[in-house]
Amino acid sequence: MTTRRTAAQTAIPDTDNGSSSSGNIISPRASEKSNITPAVPSSVIAKLLGFTFAMITLPISTYFLSLNTLFSGNSTWAGASAAIMANVVLLSYVVVAFRDDQSERAEMMEQEKKAR
Amino acid sequence: MADVELTPKFAPFFGMGGIAFAMIFGCMGAAYGTAKSGIGIAGVGVFRPDLIMKSLIPVVMSGIIAVYALVIAVLIAGDMAPPPGQHYSLFTGFMHLACGLSVGLTGLAAGYAIGVVGDMGVRSYMQQSRIFVGMVLILIFGEVLGLYGLIVALILNTKSRG
């Protein structure tokens, strides 16, 4: 306990010194707006939410919708089509992830060109 | 009398066991794949947050394993009904058990493979970006194991209306 107390006591003056010395430099920035945009862009979040929703609803709804309309009660084909829909979601996710990376790389190349 | 021999009272037990095994084993595999590759993604995301989107592919594949198990469980459940409406034969019971076990245990195997490959592949992808195509290919081959179990279960299930 004693060691902890001394550590805390030594830590407090340090922070006080830091705030008092740099406080005058920081305080003008308080009027400016801080950057609060999220680290993950909203388009990526929308994509992920969309794929999550598709993964949950698409296969099972395909099964129940196609069971009596497309395949007239043949549950085997309806089950197969549900599995195919799950793989379609996966394939589209891979394509979207790949395209996302390529567009990011293109942006980085453009920035490098501008820097030159 | 022959009817009772072919459709004993305990026959639905095996069909219900098939439903349970499909969901339990399939979801065990999917959970392992998601958790193990999730550990790798969390490790990668600290250093390279831009790779998270592409690193999530093993998680999506593990989800598909669970969808396979769900499809078979729904399929078997659709074939079952209480006794006055349907006489459930012992053959159908064993067949549904085989459906559930084949899709469940192959799902377990595929989920295990996806988990191990996803964890290590994502970590390697952080250091060498060319490994992505190989990683996705290995993941697809691992996931196809679960698809084979689904195909066998679907073919078996056609025999229920013989």
Side-chain angles (χ1 to χ4, degrees):
Chain A
M1 278 305 285
T2 51
T3 52
R4 266 187 208 168
R5 209 172 285 156
T6 50
Q9 280 169 348
T10 50
I12 292 167
D14 271 6
T15 52
D16 279 349
N17 286 339
S19 63
S20 61
S21 61
S22 62
N24 293 330
I25 307 166
I26 290 176
S27 53
R29 288 187 188 169
S31 56
E32 291 178 14
K33 277 186 180 177
S34 59
N35 186 11
I36 53 165
T37 50
V40 181
S42 57
S43 67
V44 172
I45 293 176
K47 269 181 209 166
L48 286 180
L49 278 181
F51 277 108
T52 309
F53 186 73
M55 201 65 202
I56 291 169
T57 59
L58 213 59
I60 204 73
S61 64
T62 306
Y63 175 81
F64 282 114
L65 287 180
S66 67
L67 181 59
N68 289 321
T69 55
L70 276 179
F71 302 111
S72 60
N74 191 343
S75 57
T76 304
W77 287 111
S81 68
I84 288 170
M85 285 313 288
N87 280 293
V88 165
V89 173
L90 169 72
L91 205 72
S92 54
Y93 182 83
V94 172
V95 168
V96 164
F98 211 76
R99 220 181 252 174
D100 206 50
D101 184 65
Q102 278 181 340
S103 65
E104 252 176 35
R105 193 172 290 170
E107 277 178 17
M108 282 178 68
M109 292 281 276
E110 276 183 13
Q111 282 182 352
E112 277 183 12
K113 276 183 185 175
K114 278 181 185 175
R116 281 175 192 172
Chain B
M1 196 63 193
D3 262 357
V4 177
E5 262 177 22
L6 289 177
T7 63
K9 286 173 189 167
F10 58 84
F13 174 81
F14 293 102
M16 297 293 182
I19 298 175
F21 281 142
M23 280 320 292
I24 291 168
F25 287 125
C27 286
M28 274 168 70
Y32 184 85
T34 306
K36 193 85 163 70
S37 57
I39 292 169
I41 293 165
V44 169
V46 174
F47 300 105
R48 295 280 303 276
D50 52 319
L51 295 183
I52 292 177
M53 186 82 177
K54 285 172 90 174
S55 304
L56 277 172
I57 288 170
V59 175
V60 179
M61 290 200 162
S62 303
I64 287 185
I65 300 295
V67 168
Y68 290 164
L70 181 72
V71 164
I72 290 301
V74 168
L75 215 72
I76 298 173
D79 280 354
M80 297 185 82
Q86 181 194 8
H87 292 290
Y88 194 77
S89 68
L90 193 57
F91 173 82
T92 317
F94 283 143
M95 193 198 62
H96 283 162
L97 184 66
C99 286
L101 279 178
S102 65
V103 82
L105 289 176
T106 53
L108 186 60
Y112 190 86
I114 288 173
V116 173
V117 172
D119 182 21
M120 209 53 230
V122 160
R123 286 174 198 272
S124 310
Y125 177 52
M126 181 175 65
Q127 293 161 345
Q128 169 61 267
S129 60
R130 283 189 181 179
I131 214 161
F132 179 72
V133 176
M135 182 186 79
V136 169
L137 212 64
I138 296 168
L139 284 172
I140 287 172
F141 276 94
E143 197 249 325
V144 156
L145 299 178
L147 186 67
Y148 293 157
L150 176 83
I151 290 170
V152 168
L154 284 177
I155 291 172
L156 275 177
N157 206 56
T158 56
K159 302 277 193 291
S160 69
R161 296 190 189 86

